[in-house]
Amino acid sequence: VLLQIFDAFKPRLHDSNSKVNQVALEAMHKMIPLLKDNLSPVINMLIPAIVDNNLNSKNPGIYTAATNVIRALCQHLDTSLLLQPFCTKAQFLSGKAKQDLTEKLA
């Protein structure tokens, strides 16, 4: 069931409408403390959706929401679940997104 929910939710995390995108990121931020390690089956799908475009966004609301989501993931999930997806994304990112994710990895 969780997989089906996040399959439907994931496109909103990088919606072309910036308001939809930001609200989805803010909703994700609220869900993380509630779901915690139960997110493990969907984490490999969520990390790219959260990171791609959002961490390099010129929209300050989207960038802030994305960094809040990353911070919440680091606080509420077993960090071993995040290591591989963060490393994979950090390899292919550029700019501020690469710097932000590399700092989280460190």
Side-chain angles (χ1 to χ4, degrees):
V1 174
L2 190 68
L3 195 56
Q4 293 170 323
I5 291 168
F6 279 97
D7 274 342
F9 182 72
K10 182 184 129 187
R12 303 297 69 84
L13 291 169
H14 47 83
D15 199 281
S16 59
N17 181 322
S18 61
K19 290 179 183 176
V20 171
N21 187 356
Q22 185 174 340
V23 169
L25 287 164
E26 291 167 355
M28 187 73 228
H29 181 248
K30 292 175 186 172
M31 285 187 264
I32 292 167
L34 302 172
L35 296 172
K36 298 184 182 178
D37 289 340
N38 292 320
L39 287 171
S40 63
V42 295
I43 203 70
N44 288 326
M45 162 180 61
L46 284 178
I47 298 290
I50 294 163
V51 171
D52 292 349
N53 302 323
N54 296 326
L55 280 182
N56 272 332
S57 179
K58 292 186 184 354
N59 179 319
I62 290 174
Y63 173 77
T64 300
T67 55
N68 287 340
V69 169
I70 297 295
R71 190 177 308 112
L73 286 169
C74 293
Q75 288 174 340
H76 296 286
L77 269 70
D78 180 352
T79 52
S80 66
L81 294 172
L82 301 173
L83 185 61
Q84 186 60 48
F86 277 10
C87 285
T88 302
K89 286 312 303 174
Q91 285 178 313
F92 302 104
L93 290 172
S94 61
K96 186 137 179 65
K98 185 173 191 113
Q99 178 185 344
D100 288 347
L101 216 49
T102 303
E103 286 175 10
K104 287 297 177 195
L105 280 165

